Structure formats: C-alpha cells, structure tokens
Amino acid sequence: MLVAIFGATDESVGLIPLLESRPDIEVAALCDSDSAGALQKLEALGGDYAARLGERVISDPSALLRISGLSAVIDAGRDSSFFEQVPEASSSSLRVVSPLTARLLWGYGPASRERQRELLQALREIVDSLNLASEGEQLFSRILEIAIGVLGADGGSIMLLDPATETLAIRVAVGLEAELWAKVQTALGDGIAGRVASEVRPLRIRGKASPE
C-alpha cells in the first residue's frame, strides 16, 4: 500500500519508521511547502531515511493526486488541511487520515480491512463523545465501552496516573465491582498496566496474563 504524508511535522515524520516496518506499506511522498525543513526532519530520524526518501519530498500537494496507486494520505497540515489545499481530492478514492488514526491503523502490525473499518468507526465515536460528553466520567465510560467493543473483550478498565505518587488508579472499569476500584493501584513500571504506562507503548499478551 502506498501512503503519502502531507505536512512534515515531528509527529507525522516520526511515523515513517513505524510505517516502513510494515512490509505491506511504502511511503510514496512527503509533502510540505518547506522542502528544506522536511529534509531536515528526515535527517533527524537518523539512519538512511534522508538518503532514501529525500527525492520523495515535494512541495506541491496537488502532485499527490498524480502518484499512481496511492491509497492514503496522512494529513498533518499545520495551517490548512489536505482537502483545503486540494479540494478535488474529496472526490477521489484516497483515504485521508490524521497521524493518530494512521498510528492506530498501521503502526501496530497488520490489520484486516474489516478491522481497519472498526478502528476508524471507533475513532469517530470517540470524537463524538468528546464533543457530547459533559462530564469526565461519562467520557471515560464511553471510551472504555468503545475499546471493549472493538477488541471483542469481556471487560477492561481505564487507569489514570497520579504524577505526585507515580501510581495508576482505576477511573472506570467494566467487569470489576465498583467498590474494588479504589483498592486497585499500580506503581509506575509494575505489573502489566504499570509497564505499559512507563514504556508508553501497547503490550500484546498471549495466553494467560501474569503481573510478572
């Protein structure tokens, strides 16, 4: 799958190593009005990214529509969106996604088309929740509900970090009695949740979960 990036931000350029770790994805272009700045960001990645992808840096966003076989554009435009810069793209078959959506869809291993549709729908529902929820508890409950549904899980929880004590505590949970929430606290770096929070990356567990 060919993917292009519109807007050379730290976040979008930082996705390139993740995308290129996927054998089914190729970064076809990096588009930014500041071509020199885009090249500098590629150089900052280290390795041979600047040497390999430097010739794919372009400044004209409409040129992305002329890339044969392009499937998606990651829109990281700073001052205006990709659709604002290239209105005709709205009538094309291109999938235009945010850097966050790109990370969820393609940054953590291959996903089927059906799985990708589920993730996109979940993101839309989370955005709707952000717009509609008037209380934090309601919002966290909705996000957890969406995550459980997408993953096909029986339950789950959202834990928040207290920076002062460096401990995680349950904010909302499904499948655990509410009176037990306050008793479940995890130090940063300990157990599964503590490790995920400390390393700031997802953790896939095969088989029975163990706190070790």
Side-chain angles (χ1 to χ4, degrees):
M1 180 174 69
L2 289 180
V3 175
I5 297 173
F6 172 71
T9 64
D10 290 340
E11 181 182 21
S12 64
V13 174
L15 284 172
I16 292 176
L18 282 174
L19 296 173
E20 291 212 325
S21 69
R22 292 275 303 269
D24 57 331
I25 292 179
E26 178 183 351
V27 178
L30 174 60
C31 179
D32 196 282
S33 57
D34 181 7
S35 299
L39 283 170
Q40 288 179 349
K41 289 187 181 297
L42 285 175
E43 291 171 354
L45 287 178
D48 63 347
Y49 290 105
R52 289 190 299 103
L53 302 178
E55 63 182 16
R56 303 182 194 179
V57 174
I58 60 176
S59 58
D60 178 13
S62 64
L64 296 180
L65 296 182
R66 298 192 290 273
I67 297 177
S68 178
L70 187 67
S71 298
V73 172
I74 299 172
D75 187 352
R78 291 179 293 271
D79 300 320
S80 56
S81 70
F82 176 66
F83 283 134
E84 289 173 329
Q85 288 284 318
V86 190
E88 58 269 32
S90 60
S91 59
S92 72
S93 60
L94 273 180
R95 180 190 300 186
V96 179
V97 300
S98 70
L100 172 60
T101 300
R103 183 180 294 274
L104 290 172
L105 288 177
W106 306 313
Y108 303 122
S112 66
R113 288 187 176 276
E114 182 60 33
R115 176 66 169 160
Q116 290 181 8
R117 282 193 290 269
E118 289 177 354
L119 287 169
L120 285 171
Q121 181 59 35
L123 284 171
R124 293 189 188 100
E125 292 183 18
I126 288 173
V127 170
D128 289 342
S129 297
L130 287 169
N131 292 333
L132 297 175
S134 57
E135 298 181 4
E137 209 72 24
Q138 180 184 1
L139 174 58
F140 285 123
S141 295
R142 181 57 178 148
I143 291 174
L144 179 59
E145 177 187 347
I146 291 168
I148 290 173
V150 170
L151 295 173
D154 296 322
S157 65
I158 291 179
M159 304 183 79
L160 299 185
L161 175 66
D162 182 343
T165 62
E166 293 194 334
T167 57
L168 294 161
I170 291 178
R171 180 64 179 268
V172 293
V174 171
L176 181 67
E177 296 177 359
E179 56 266 27
L180 298 178
W181 294 4
K183 299 179 181 179
V184 180
Q185 295 195 7
T186 303
L188 193 63
D190 289 350
I192 296 169
R195 178 180 169 188
V196 169
S198 176
E199 297 179 2
V200 197
R201 64 182 180 87
L203 177 64
R204 176 181 293 179
I205 299 173
R206 299 184 184 277
K208 186 177 180 180
S210 168
E212 302 299 326

